Amino acid sequence: MIKGVIYLITMALLALASSLVSAYDPSPLQDFCVAINNTNFAVFVNGKFCKDPAAVTADDFFFSGLNTPANIGNKVGFNVTLVNVDMLLGLNTLGISLARLDFAPYGLDLPHTHPCASKILVVEEGTLLVGFVTSNPNKLFTKVLNKGDVFAFPIGLIHFQFNIGQTNVVAFAGLNSQNPGVITIANTVFGSNPPINPNVLIKAFQFDKNVVDYLQKQF
């Protein structure tokens, strides 16, 4: 009898522990979501409000246009067509998004991070030099990709893609968030609004003030 009671208590504790281990907070789908007690003034949820299922149609899960190259006639020779929840409303709560990446010869997807998603990339045409840098001690993992090659980028790590060929490159990327977000390092550091105090950047990068002033004007 006692052994039976002990067994039941043990199983109950294991079940409770299991439920606690499997519980977790939802990942943020935007930079921040400040709590508010008065819901009359609430304007965002962690994601988007849901459409009445009775009003949902196939078009809510459809996007057309990834066959069309993006404009790459810019300074960096790169552009991206992102299909996230803002472009395809049916992605809400599904935790996925997709992107087409277009590169001119020697075009660069500037070093950046996705704060809410890991990324997997496949090269459709051309050759890319890709890589990511870990958190301290900042180890670089890099690879040259050709047509059909695949590379994965862990969530939140700084990474890049660079067309090292003389022809255009097309690649596609899948991300495990409906809104992966993007932080482009140079734009963020030198192009924030309002600008970061130049003395901070001078100290951080060991630049001359004239260099910092020049860089802030570029972004």
Side-chain angles (χ1 to χ4, degrees):
M1 179 66 178
I2 295 177
K3 289 184 178 180
V5 172
I6 293 174
Y7 174 79
L8 289 175
I9 293 174
T10 302
M11 294 304 295
L13 290 173
L14 287 173
L16 177 60
S18 176
S19 66
L20 292 173
V21 168
S22 64
Y24 61 92
D25 288 336
S27 299
L29 296 173
Q30 59 275 323
D31 286 344
F32 50 79
C33 184
V34 178
I36 186 170
N37 292 322
N38 187 343
T39 55
N40 291 329
F41 295 98
V43 293
F44 290 113
V45 293
N46 194 25
K48 291 183 178 289
F49 292 102
C50 297
K51 190 175 185 178
D52 182 348
V56 171
T57 69
D59 285 338
D60 292 314
F61 303 95
F62 175 78
F63 177 89
S64 179
L66 284 188
N67 61 315
T68 304
N71 179 12
I72 49 178
N74 50 47
K75 290 192 295 184
V76 296
F78 167 78
N79 214 330
V80 60
T81 304
L82 177 63
V83 185
N84 63 2
V85 69
D86 294 323
M87 302 298 296
L88 182 56
L89 296 176
L91 291 179
N92 194 38
T93 75
L94 298 187
I96 53 173
S97 55
L98 182 67
R100 171 179 171 141
L101 291 72
D102 288 283
F103 299 80
Y106 306 108
L108 172 66
D109 186 1
L110 298 173
H112 63 282
T113 74
H114 299 292
C116 301
S118 296
K119 176 166 73 179
I120 187 166
L121 177 143
V122 59
V123 176
E124 178 73 14
E125 295 289 345
T127 303
L128 281 178
L129 171 67
V130 305
F132 66 84
V133 181
T134 67
S135 53
N136 291 341
N138 305 131
K139 183 176 180 180
L140 172 66
F141 291 85
T142 185
K143 195 80 175 174
V144 173
L145 305 183
N146 297 298
K147 181 177 180 178
D149 290 342
V150 175
F151 198 80
F153 303 87
I155 185 171
L157 298 186
I158 295 175
H159 60 281
F160 61 87
Q161 298 100 39
F162 180 48
N163 181 0
I164 57 175
Q166 298 180 5
T167 61
N168 289 357
V169 167
V170 178
F172 290 91
L175 303 105
N176 65 331
S177 172
Q178 68 183 45
N179 185 25
V182 62
I183 300 172
T184 305
I185 308 306
N187 300 56
T188 302
V189 172
F190 296 105
S192 66
N193 184 22
I196 295 174
N197 187 310
N199 291 320
V200 173
L201 301 179
I202 291 169
K203 191 76 170 180
F205 292 97
Q206 299 295 294
F207 285 161
D208 181 85
K209 184 178 187 302
N210 291 332
V211 175
V212 171
D213 291 341
Y214 170 79
L215 290 171
Q216 287 187 316
K217 289 177 182 177
Q218 301 310 303
F219 296 96

